[in-house]
Amino acid sequence: GAVVSQHPSWVICKSGTSVKIECRSLDFQATTMFWYRQFPKQSLMLMATSNEGSKATYEQGVEKDKFLINHASLTLSTLTVTSAHPEDSSFYICSAQWINIQYFGAGTRLSVL
Amino acid sequence: AQKITQTQPGMFVQEKEAVTLDCTYDTSDPSYGLFWYKQPSSGEMIFLIYQGSYDQQNATEGRYSLNFQKARKSANLVISASQLGDSAMYFCAMREFNDYKLSFGAGTTVTVRA
């Protein structure tokens, strides 16, 4: 199967700092990657679609300037949470599509103090 | 409008028994795909099984099978011979082929008892 790696798995940061999360497709090339946010015991909420070589497509209500997405290569997409605040604390998880199926990373738990 | 409905928030199942997780969907697109994912407490989303709308046979993957009833718009997941490691949250999802996004249900938490 296809493997997606996400790093870091856990990050704690101070309010006002920025945090970068990486999502890599290890054994396939992904022109499209997805970023989700998940609150405890809830379903996944799509934040944005990351397209290699072009601007990301953000879902309604997601702040583009707060959640910066870069998809510079066919195997790497990054999500940067800028000027993080406690309300940004959440579980963030990425996925990459390969032959019709989205494969997910292990997720990143972000805690903003 | 809700595209995927999972009506069972939580279920208990005895080890070695089978369990059925319900999923109904809503779409007017004749071409779509249905997916089931498992999310253990560690958080990763594990792809389990896929069913295409034109597939004639129900999908099976090891102990997982998908009971696809197109007319009823249901795509129930059956886990046979449950194991303790099956305890997790399970999500049903759908992708319409004129859209790249996955729509997820609310999820069902399965707890396997020894």
Side-chain angles (χ1 to χ4, degrees):
Chain A
V3 180
V4 176
S5 172
Q6 188 171 341
H7 179 81
S9 57
W10 194 294
V11 59
I12 300 173
C13 69
K14 292 183 178 179
S15 186
T17 61
S18 295
V19 173
K20 181 185 281 189
I21 303 170
E22 292 188 348
C23 182
R24 293 180 185 273
S25 55
L26 296 187
D27 50 2
F28 66 102
Q29 293 182 331
T31 55
T32 305
M33 292 185 175
F34 303 87
W35 288 95
Y36 296 84
R37 184 173 181 174
Q38 186 180 30
F39 293 103
K41 300 199 184 297
Q42 292 189 24
S43 190
L44 277 70
M45 180 182 70
L46 180 65
M47 298 174 64
T49 302
S50 169
N51 302 295
E52 188 269 336
S54 64
K55 291 184 178 180
T57 304
Y58 290 82
E59 295 300 299
Q60 193 171 5
V62 177
E63 297 179 60
K64 299 178 184 182
D65 295 333
K66 167 163 277 297
F67 300 101
L68 299 179
I69 290 171
N70 183 272
H71 193 155
S73 78
L74 287 171
T75 59
L76 174 64
S77 176
T78 60
L79 168 68
T80 301
V81 183
T82 62
S83 186
H85 288 97
E87 58 266 29
D88 298 324
S89 297
S90 192
F91 185 69
Y92 295 88
I93 190 166
C94 70
S95 71
Q97 185 152 312
W98 185 66
I99 312 180
N100 235 17
I101 295 168
Q102 283 191 30
Y103 292 91
F104 285 80
T108 298
R109 295 189 190 279
L110 171 62
S111 295
V112 185
L113 304 177
Chain B
Q2 189 78 12
K3 289 188 175 182
I4 295 287
T5 302
Q6 293 181 255
T7 57
Q8 306 152 310
M11 297 184 71
F12 290 94
V13 60
Q14 205 65 30
E15 198 176 9
K16 299 181 185 177
E17 292 186 351
V19 62
T20 298
L21 308 183
D22 295 341
C23 173
T24 56
Y25 59 92
D26 183 30
T27 180
S28 57
D29 191 336
S31 298
Y32 53 89
L34 297 157
F35 307 79
W36 277 93
Y37 289 87
K38 171 184 178 182
Q39 187 177 40
S41 56
S42 58
E44 62 180 315
M45 289 281 285
I46 303 166
F47 165 72
L48 296 178
I49 196 166
Y50 164 80
Q51 178 87 41
S53 59
Y54 294 117
D55 293 343
Q56 297 295 315
Q57 304 274 1
N58 285 343
T60 61
E61 286 287 346
R63 295 187 297 111
Y64 304 106
S65 59
L66 199 152
N67 185 0
F68 181 44
Q69 298 190 37
K70 196 170 182 176
R72 293 186 176 184
K73 292 188 175 178
S74 76
N76 298 341
L77 177 71
V78 179
I79 306 174
S80 62
S82 296
Q83 302 172 356
L84 295 177
D86 293 334
S87 294
M89 197 152 183
Y90 290 80
F91 290 97
C92 179
M94 177 181 68
R95 186 173 77 89
E96 296 161 327
F97 283 117
N98 62 359
D99 192 359
Y100 53 85
K101 301 177 190 178
L102 271 182
S103 297
F104 284 92
T108 296
T109 300
V110 172
T111 304
V112 180
R113 289 170 164 162

